[in-house]
Amino acid sequence: MTDSPPLPSVPSMPDNGPHVSREEFDSLFDTVRTWGRWTPADRGAWNRVTAEHVQRATALVRTGTVVPMALPWNTVPGPDNGKPALHYMSELGDIEAPEPTCHKDFIAVDYHGKGVSHLDALSHIAYQGQLYDGRSADEVVDARGAHFGAVSSLGPLVTKGVLIDMPAVLGTDWLEPGRAVHADDVLAAEKALGVTIGEGDAVLLRSGHFRRRRELGAWNPDSASAGFHVDVMPLLAEREIALLGGDGDSDVRPSPVEGVSSPVHALAITAMGVPLLDNLDLEALSTACAEAGRYAFMMTVAPLNIPGGTGSPVNPVAVL
């Protein structure tokens, strides 16, 4: 009896290199670090976005096309949804006084994972025991939540969004899981797509993750997913971005960095003070940008106001 061939959704050998040593990573961390730059510190790079940035972003609205980016609330367990969200009806309109009747439901989620579109606040990631701005994680995060870098400190964001649509640039349907996107790729994408990443921008990487998932089935993205190699981060630091995100979790997986499982998370959140957006569905935005012939747009992000929260489920919106 011969073994069955692997399912088509199983990723092949990843192209996630080159390998980065821990010493090289620590040097890179120090290079992009912005500790001590802003007050309030726990808003990090969102301090870059001023009223002028918002006004410039609104000028990008031409057709009024509105594109949401959140995944549907996912209550189905799977290889990429180990902690499914909860949703059930708590009242069916049969116990109220005569009129009107009322239907109520309950939702809950352990959102840091691969199944929910969410924002990572600055309290989410510590490196070598420290959060952004050199705060000791042991001192500012406890069982009651985060006392520094909570999502409630961020508030809403309106700024220019830039879609780095790598499959569109490369003429492919998607990037295979494990494919690293490098600084040279981002520079080439800027040229091909006619965009320039600038100060205060929200940068979104489309790898085609959810198109691949819909066509080939789910896989475990903790084992293999397309995303940024750490060599992108000096470029993004130089451009002074405010927000980073994508249809994965920004990190290429497996990690190319020795002993660091999520190096882009550590560099963006902990070193640079840049919150992350994870697990966005960017397929509709890719289509809208292609139809409009432009890959810059106004973007809004409004996390839930959760005191002490390390992040929030979120539905970012692009307006072209």
Side-chain angles (χ1 to χ4, degrees):
M1 181 177 178
T2 59
D3 293 333
S4 298
L7 295 174
S9 61
V10 176
S12 58
M13 184 63 67
D15 180 19
N16 67 331
H19 174 80
V20 176
S21 71
R22 189 63 172 271
E23 291 75 18
E24 291 171 321
F25 178 79
D26 288 343
S27 177
L28 180 56
F29 188 98
D30 290 339
T31 298
V32 301
R33 187 170 58 186
T34 61
W35 294 3
R37 180 171 300 185
W38 293 297
T39 301
D42 57 357
R43 295 191 77 244
W46 282 22
N47 284 293
R48 289 186 169 124
V49 180
T50 65
E52 184 179 355
H53 290 88
V54 176
Q55 290 173 334
R56 288 203 297 260
T58 63
L60 296 171
V61 177
R62 300 172 192 170
T63 65
T65 301
V66 177
V67 186
M69 300 178 231
L71 295 170
W73 197 249
N74 192 346
T75 61
V76 180
D80 54 355
N81 194 26
K83 297 178 179 179
L86 301 179
H87 177 226
Y88 62 79
M89 299 305 295
S90 58
E91 189 171 318
L92 293 175
D94 54 357
I95 60 173
E96 297 278 348
E99 294 293 347
T101 57
C102 185
H103 305 96
K104 301 177 183 178
D105 55 353
F106 170 91
I107 60 172
V109 67
D110 188 347
Y111 59 88
H112 284 299
K114 309 301 181 183
V116 178
S117 301
H118 66 271
L119 177 75
D120 292 340
L122 300 190
S123 54
H124 177 49
I125 296 292
Y127 182 63
Q128 295 184 340
Q130 292 182 306
L131 299 178
Y132 179 70
D133 214 44
R135 306 300 177 98
S136 171
D138 288 343
E139 295 177 0
V140 297
V141 183
D142 57 29
R144 296 170 296 167
H147 308 287
F148 171 86
V151 70
S152 54
S153 299
L154 291 174
L157 182 76
V158 178
T159 193
K160 185 183 96 181
V162 174
L163 180 64
I164 301 299
D165 194 339
M166 289 307 304
V169 172
L170 299 173
T172 60
D173 292 333
W174 55 72
L175 304 184
E176 281 298 319
R179 160 72 151 83
V181 175
H182 297 277
D184 288 346
D185 294 319
V186 173
L187 293 172
E190 284 186 310
K191 184 176 181 180
L193 300 173
V195 293
T196 301
I197 296 168
E199 181 194 22
D201 286 357
V203 178
L204 305 178
L205 171 66
R206 175 178 174 257
S207 69
H209 179 108
F210 289 103
R211 178 170 179 180
R212 187 186 193 278
R213 188 186 190 279
R214 287 163 191 150
E215 294 190 17
L216 301 182
W219 72 97
N220 181 3
D222 282 328
S223 299
S225 59
F228 287 122
H229 190 276
V230 295
D231 67 14
V232 169
M233 302 311 288
L235 172 64
L236 299 181
E238 178 185 330
R239 300 293 183 87
E240 298 188 319
I241 68 169
L243 178 64
L244 185 64
D247 53 10
D249 69 359
S250 294
D251 268 289
V252 65
R253 300 186 185 279
S255 168
V257 180
E258 174 187 330
V260 182
S261 61
S262 301
V264 169
H265 274 64
L267 293 173
I269 295 174
T270 315
M272 297 165 56
V274 173
L276 293 185
L277 285 171
D278 294 348
N279 313 319
L280 304 182
D281 188 341
L282 298 177
E283 296 309 299
L285 181 59
S286 173
T287 299
C289 287
E291 291 175 350
R294 56 194 177 93
Y295 288 79
F297 39 85
M298 185 180 84
M299 181 167 165
T300 64
V301 183
L304 299 176
N305 186 1
I306 307 172
T310 64
S312 168
V314 72
N315 182 17
V317 175
V319 187
L320 284 80

